[in-house]
Amino acid sequence: MSSPSPAEVENLVVLFVGFAFATFVYGLTFFQTYIYFSRYSNDHTWTKLLVGALFVLDTTSNCLVSDRLYHYMVKMFDVATEVLYATPAFCIQYLLSVILTMIAQLFFASRLYTVCGGPTSITSKSVSTAVLFCAFIAFVFGLTSVGQFFQQRQLSTFASPSMAIIAGISQCFAAVANIIILIAMCWSLRPARYPDMLQPQGVFENLAVLFVCRGLGLVIIQLMYLGTFVASPGKPYWIAVQMVAPRVYTNTVLGLLNTREVKHGVGLNEEETLSDRQDSQNNSFPGQLRFRDIKTTQQSLSFSPQGESSRGSEIEEACKSYADNQNLESISSHCSEQNAYDKASLS
């Protein structure tokens, strides 16, 4: 048996690396879905349907990625794979990645519509419309790429100008939508606009909020996808990123939902009122308990001189009333004993 060619080794290595990372990130999808349904039991119906749809689509996509690896590394073990062909499972998985990208961007568009000012704000309408427009263009051109996938079936044809332009436009508009999401989320959810909002503490929490709740992870994975494709559309490098990208989109949405605090089984967004969040601390998990303001706690525990004197007078009055009650009880018991003695002497 002849040794594999460099092109064949390159293709198989890219497929295996993409499968390994995609499977690892899918484990986070499974874990986060379990956390959501166990913690937010009374959450809104539409949010539950969103999480369920993301889990089903991401699970199906990951199964198709596994089928792709099985096809090239097991079924075609004795066949040279210097040129990769798109199997039906590959085409369907590519379609699911386009759908998952669209769902995640629609979710963030709805978040921006809320945090940027609501239905009465022109900024809210403008930003949400811009994200929806870019997401729609990316979705339409992504569907066109899927149709070309089903027709051509040869991945090297993406190097052709027509297919490269269509796929590049789809990925470019998706990247623009993610950049708008990142900038708008960071601008809207700043302490100046929401002074009562809980602020992250430490490097880890700040990175988690930036990557998940603000959408930096979406920007990074989409720019990696766009960069690898534009740099070499005829090479398989972008395929590995394409395997991982849908799971990053899914876990970003699930992570944002799972970082909310809980109140009676309903998730509270980070821009919710302070009173609602303080009430929710009694209903949240131990890991969710946080102190809003240490100074307020210290002020509530401190005693002023006037308060101490008033409390001292109250204690003295209570002691006096207690002593009076004791004296009354002793007098009444003495009188009852004297009456009993008189009755006995008369008898």
Side-chain angles (χ1 to χ4, degrees), residues 28-57 59 250 253-255 257-260 262 264-267 285:
L28 298 179
T29 302
F30 188 88
F31 180 67
Q32 289 206 84
T33 304
Y34 170 76
I35 289 178
Y36 173 81
F37 283 105
S38 61
R39 180 178 296 177
Y40 305 94
S41 56
N42 297 325
D43 211 359
H44 302 290
T45 304
W46 286 110
T47 309
K48 290 183 178 180
L49 292 176
L50 172 65
V51 174
L54 288 175
F55 175 74
V56 172
L57 292 175
T59 301
T250 301
V253 176
L254 295 178
L257 292 174
N258 287 331
T259 54
R260 300 174 301 165
V262 188
H264 305 301
V266 179
F285 285 85

Side-chain angles (χ1 to χ4, degrees), residues 136-152:
F136 178 75
I137 297 298
F139 181 72
V140 171
F141 279 90
L143 292 181
T144 306
S145 300
V146 173
Q148 293 179 341
F149 251 153
F150 276 102
Q151 293 177 358
Q152 301 292 335

Side-chain angles (χ1 to χ4, degrees), residues 87-237:
T87 62
F90 187 101
C91 298
I92 297 173
Q93 191 269 332
Y94 189 87
L95 173 62
L96 292 178
S97 67
V98 174
I99 295 174
L100 286 170
T101 301
M102 180 69 173
I103 293 176
Q105 290 174 344
L106 289 178
F107 171 79
F108 272 95
S110 65
R111 286 282 296 136
L112 289 174
Y113 187 75
T114 302
V115 301
C116 290
T120 59
S121 174
I122 300 177
T123 303
S124 176
K125 296 178 181 179
S126 302
V127 173
S128 300
T129 303
V131 173
L132 291 175
F133 174 78
C134 294
F136 178 75
I137 297 298
F139 181 72
V140 171
F141 279 90
L143 292 181
T144 306
S145 300
V146 173
Q148 293 179 341
F149 251 153
F150 276 102
Q151 293 177 358
Q152 301 292 335
R153 294 296 182 91
Q154 187 173 340
L155 299 181
S156 59
T157 57
F158 267 87
S160 63
S162 60
M163 295 187 67
I165 289 174
I166 292 175
I169 291 175
S170 174
Q171 298 169 20
C172 183
F173 272 93
V176 172
N178 294 342
I179 293 173
I180 295 174
I181 289 171
L182 173 63
I183 295 174
M185 290 291 287
C186 292
W187 176 82
S188 301
L189 294 174
R190 64 186 191 275
R193 297 189 74 245
Y194 294 97
D196 293 335
M197 184 176 61
L198 288 173
Q199 298 300 319
Q201 301 174 1
V203 178
F204 178 77
E205 286 191 10
N206 280 278
L207 290 177
V209 169
L210 188 61
F211 271 81
V212 178
C213 300
R214 303 296 181 267
L216 180 60
L218 302 183
V219 175
I220 292 176
I221 193 65
Q222 190 61 44
L223 290 179
M224 289 177 59
Y225 191 6
L226 178 62
T228 53
F229 181 82
V230 172
S232 55
K235 294 289 184 178
Y237 306 129

Side-chain angles (χ1 to χ4, degrees), residues 310-326:
S310 61
R311 290 186 182 87
S313 60
E314 290 177 359
I315 293 173
E316 291 177 358
E317 292 178 358
C319 292
K320 290 179 181 179
S321 62
Y322 178 76
D324 294 338
N325 291 332
Q326 291 293 105

